[in-house]
Amino acid sequence: MVQAAWGGAEGADVLALVVDAKGGLGAKVTDIAEAIKDRREPKYLILNKVDLADKGKLLLHAEKLTGMVDFAETFFVSAATGDGLPELKAHLAKAMPEGPWHFPEDQVSDASERSLASEVTREQLYLQLHAELPYASAIETEQYKEREDGSVEIHQQILVERPTQRAIVLGKGGARIKEIGARARAELSEIMGRPVHLYLHVKVRPGWDDERDVYREMGLDWVE
């Protein structure tokens, strides 16, 4: 189990509970609702996948959750189609208090370049594979070093659980993994402001999600 989400909620200005409206309300969702119901922060309920969910069940989910938690606002959105997202973003932006700049305006992230490289590759993995690949993959950085010419050399492993998933990531003749690497490399070069040499490998490692080191690589804490 990881505690990163709960740790990040400490000192938050608002709490947002995002629910898969198509998937229904399982024990995990209701447990989280119970855990936040007495928190002092304004709480928002965000029901996602409204383009796929049954409208009758959607309203029942909203009614049940709002009966458990005193949500300040409820939003019905679709991350796939963009429905409801402009209103949600505008509302969240308005709810944020003004404050000083904590980082230079042109600094895109406070993450290390090593962590940023993993995030960019992970983003490309999901953007290009969409629903083809289950959310059962991780990026592990094997090697990160700066070359004498000022460029960066990065070797990463994409961990999956089954050989069939490996085949999906590789694509026909390795076309998919090449495209993932090319786009990630271009984005990293732009962010870092220098050439990046990115080498990707796909490895089948059943049960990788039970390994503590993989979670630490993602910046998440492992709790027994």
Side-chain angles (χ1 to χ4, degrees):
M1 178 181 179
V2 295
Q3 287 292 98
W6 288 116
E10 295 299 327
D13 295 304
V14 300
L15 296 179
L17 176 59
V18 183
V19 178
D20 180 348
K22 183 177 181 294
L25 304 183
K28 290 183 179 180
V29 174
T30 54
D31 286 348
I32 294 173
E34 283 288 339
I36 67 172
K37 69 178 184 180
D38 293 324
R39 296 282 295 257
R40 295 182 178 181
E41 300 92 341
K43 293 172 280 291
Y44 297 157
L45 173 61
I46 303 171
L47 291 160
N48 187 29
K49 297 186 181 179
V50 296
D51 55 316
L52 302 175
D54 176 86
K55 298 302 183 284
K57 290 183 179 180
L58 179 64
L59 294 175
L60 287 175
H61 295 338
E63 183 179 356
K64 180 176 180 180
L65 288 169
T66 53
M68 297 175 63
V69 181
D70 183 20
F71 289 107
E73 297 284 349
T74 298
F75 296 90
F76 299 89
V77 306
S78 168
T81 66
D83 288 348
L85 291 182
E87 294 82 3
L88 171 60
K89 290 191 288 186
H91 196 95
L92 288 174
K94 188 177 180 180
M96 296 299 104
E98 291 187 6
W101 287 95
H102 293 291
F103 303 99
E105 189 173 355
D106 60 350
Q107 183 174 331
V108 297
S109 173
D110 63 343
S112 69
E113 289 188 345
R114 181 187 178 104
S115 298
L116 188 62
S118 295
E119 288 302 316
V120 168
T121 302
R122 183 178 295 110
E123 178 188 37
Q124 284 301 324
L125 186 68
Y126 291 132
L127 285 176
Q128 295 194 45
L129 295 175
H130 303 291
E132 293 181 65
L133 183 71
Y135 284 74
S137 60
I139 309 299
E140 187 175 61
T141 302
E142 296 179 292
Q143 189 178 135
Y144 183 101
K145 65 179 182 181
E146 297 191 8
R147 293 182 174 181
E148 292 184 0
D149 61 3
S151 64
V152 180
E153 181 178 329
I154 306 170
H155 294 257
Q156 295 175 334
Q157 282 193 138
I158 300 174
L159 303 179
V160 294
E161 294 185 327
R162 299 190 297 275
T164 52
Q165 295 172 341
R166 182 176 184 272
I168 291 173
V169 177
L170 289 174
K172 187 175 181 179
R176 180 60 65 188
I177 190 69
K178 289 178 182 177
E179 184 67 13
I180 291 170
R183 294 193 185 187
R185 187 183 304 112
E187 184 174 349
L188 285 169
S189 295
E190 183 178 355
I191 292 173
M192 296 181 182
R194 51 181 169 166
V196 173
H197 309 277
L198 179 63
Y199 302 92
L200 300 180
H201 311 276
V202 188
K203 183 174 182 179
V204 178
R205 189 189 293 178
W208 67 261
D209 54 345
D210 289 327
E211 298 179 24
R212 302 182 187 191
D213 288 344
V214 175
Y215 282 95
R216 293 193 183 104
E217 180 80 17
M218 297 181 193
L220 302 175
D221 301 318
W222 178 283
V223 177
E224 296 289 353

